[in-house]
Amino acid sequence: MRVLLVGAGGVGTAITRIAARRSFFEHMTVADYDLGRAETAVAALGDSGARFGAARLDASDPAAVRAALTEHRCDVLLNATDPRFVMPLFEAALAHGAHYLDMAMSLSRPHPSRPYEECGVKLGDAQFERAADWEAAGRLALVGIGVEPGLSDVFARYASDELFDEIDEIGIRDGADLTVEGYDFAPSFSIWTTIEECLNPPVVYEEDRGWFTTEPFSEPEMFDFPEGIGPVECVNVEHEEVLLVPRWLKARRVTFKYGLGEEFIGVLRTLHKLGLDRTDPVSVKSGAGAAEVSPRDVVAACLPDPAGLGERMHGKTCAGTWVKGTKDGRPREVYLYHVVDNQWSMREYGSQAVVWQTAVNPVAALELLAGGIWSGTGVLGPEALPPRPFLDLLNEYGAPWGMREQ
């Protein structure tokens, strides 16, 4: 297996550090718009970096992506960029005949007149529209294979296969007790992506209603997270799992709730009020003349790079899937979860907890695909594939998961 990894930010760099310890692939080319960043990611591997190379690549240019796949003889494209670049990378992989993996799906657009009641364009719609073309090509696009979406979807499939006869609700619940020294506000993940998912209308699925939307930050609830994190208020957020799980699994309701905290929600609402969450460029005067700048890109540029916060971060992050239903005629409720302690991930890999937790899952998926344990054609979510091999491999990676009976 020869892999083109596109994106050498926090998650992409963590992918290289995890993959360097595994033997399943022949070569991985690390590509980024900033060649220096790709070279730094490879150089940091030291003696473990013999199977890695660096390249400059514009992820928005499908022709350039196809050329890179050809030049480096890659049969898999792993997308570790932000969601803006999903479709050009997805299309380039299909045109080249490569398999494709990503951790975030094609962008949504709110309903033009009823944004908080009806779906417009849903997350992943553009990719699923091309499913027949991927099937005809005999290639696999494995979408949403980070931690959320990704591991959370694997948990949902595992619960459906082995833990429940009937499921009332599958609810992804994400929370943390992470703090960052020296900053009043420092997101632990890409602020561009965080704004996108938190300020878009959240999607909920109900069996008798299908997909529908609500107001941002709706349905607050306190959820008690394991391993010392404790109770965190969680709210509805737009996320891929709600669009993926019902395509393969039967559940009466599917939700995603994120533990953001009152301060974080307040900052996001202020950005929205000021129009600083917008992605369309505005004209800004500068010493060099007028410049066209996206307000959201300005916000991202003003905040610290999440990949560089690890030394200042303390605490744990938890991703998991809460499932309620019946087994053998009796009510059952479980929480399947994965916790990463930032001190551990920094000590073992030099990557902060949130990006490491995201990165380990596509590497494990690549290993299963390389070994023929996972396979398929078309556009598939993680819940379309058998969960047990993936969960067992996570344990082998030193990333054990847990289950709590509620």
Side-chain angles (χ1 to χ4, degrees):
M1 174 181 282
R2 297 181 64 89
V3 182
L4 178 64
L5 169 63
V6 185
V11 173
T13 297
I15 285 171
T16 66
R17 294 171 180 176
I18 297 165
R21 303 187 185 189
R22 310 300 295 184
S23 62
F24 66 86
F25 65 98
E26 177 187 348
H27 190 269
M28 182 176 290
T29 299
V30 183
D32 196 280
Y33 190 79
D34 181 346
L35 176 59
R37 191 160 72 162
E39 291 174 334
T40 297
V42 173
L45 300 174
D47 293 341
S48 300
R51 293 177 295 151
F52 293 79
R56 186 189 180 278
L57 181 62
D58 182 351
S60 69
D61 183 349
V65 177
R66 290 180 65 185
L69 287 164
T70 300
E71 178 184 354
H72 301 287
R73 297 180 290 116
C74 296
D75 50 346
V76 178
L77 189 159
L78 172 52
N79 176 5
T81 62
D82 74 51
R84 288 174 289 183
F85 303 110
V86 162
M87 288 312 295
L89 294 172
F90 176 85
E91 294 289 0
L94 175 60
H96 177 77
H99 300 297
Y100 169 90
L101 292 83
D102 64 30
M103 290 159 274
M105 297 176 65
S106 61
L107 293 170
S108 64
R109 289 196 305 274
H111 191 280
S113 60
R114 295 164 58 88
Y116 304 129
E117 296 161 300
E118 296 183 27
C119 295
V121 175
K122 303 187 296 300
L123 291 169
D125 274 358
Q127 290 172 284
F128 282 114
E129 286 173 1
R130 298 281 270 147
D133 297 317
W134 281 85
E135 289 178 15
R139 294 294 180 265
L140 171 64
L142 179 54
V143 296
I145 186 61
V147 61
E148 291 172 343
L151 178 56
S152 51
D153 303 75
V154 173
F155 282 150
R157 173 66 185 268
Y158 173 70
S160 179
D161 283 359
E162 300 192 25
L163 304 180
F164 290 86
D165 297 323
E166 293 186 353
I167 295 176
D168 295 321
E169 182 168 350
I170 296 173
I172 316 307
R173 299 292 184 266
D174 179 299
D177 62 2
L178 294 168
T179 58
V180 182
E181 293 179 0
Y183 292 97
D184 291 330
F185 184 76
S188 59
F189 203 70
S190 161
I191 188 62
W192 200 100
T193 303
T194 301
I195 290 172
E196 181 73 18
E197 64 189 24
C198 292
L199 291 178
N200 279 348
V203 180
V204 175
Y205 173 84
E206 292 181 356
E207 189 175 41
D208 59 353
R209 186 176 174 183
W211 287 295
F212 62 95
T213 56
T214 70
E215 295 272 354
F217 316 119
S218 58
E219 297 183 1
E221 67 174 53
M222 295 300 295
F223 192 86
D224 186 19
F225 289 91
E227 299 194 21
I229 296 174
V232 178
E233 185 179 69
C234 297
V235 294
N236 278 326
V237 167
E238 181 191 49
H239 231 255
E240 285 91 342
E241 292 94 326
V242 180
L243 288 312
L244 287 171
V245 168
R247 295 177 185 270
W248 285 278
L249 306 180
K250 183 175 176 58
R252 294 185 179 92
R253 195 167 197 260
V254 182
T255 57
F256 180 99
K257 293 190 179 183
Y258 197 5
L260 293 171
E262 185 176 340
E263 180 187 21
F264 203 108
I265 291 174
V267 169
L268 291 173
R269 283 179 165 153
T270 299
L271 291 174
H272 181 63
K273 284 181 181 179
L274 296 175
L276 295 175
D277 59 329
R278 292 165 52 193
T279 58
D280 50 308
V282 297
S283 182
V284 178
K285 293 181 180 179
S286 72
E292 296 293 314
V293 183
S294 157
R296 193 184 300 185
D297 287 340
V298 173
V299 172
C302 290
L303 290 171
D305 181 355
L309 295 176
E311 297 290 349
R312 295 173 175 264
M313 283 176 62
H314 301 278
K316 300 175 181 178
T317 184
C318 178
T321 303
W322 163 75
V323 187
K324 181 180 180 181
T326 59
K327 178 68 173 178
D328 299 326
R330 296 179 180 179
R332 190 177 195 186
E333 190 175 342
V334 304
Y335 183 57
L336 299 152
Y337 64 89
H338 185 252
V339 172
V340 179
D341 187 312
N342 187 72
Q343 305 310 112
W344 175 86
S345 65
M346 287 299 297
R347 182 177 66 251
E348 292 293 319
Y349 287 88
S351 296
Q352 55 104 318
V354 177
V355 299
W356 189 90
Q357 187 182 49
T358 303
V360 69
N361 296 286
V363 179
L366 283 173
E367 184 159 348
L368 293 175
L369 291 170
I373 299 168
W374 270 11
S375 63
T377 60
V379 179
L380 302 181
E383 52 277 278
L385 299 166
R388 180 56 84 168
F390 188 93
L391 297 176
D392 289 345
L393 190 55
L394 275 189
N395 289 330
E396 185 181 318
Y397 274 50
W401 55 281
M403 184 177 84
R404 181 181 68 190
E405 295 277 355
Q406 299 286 87

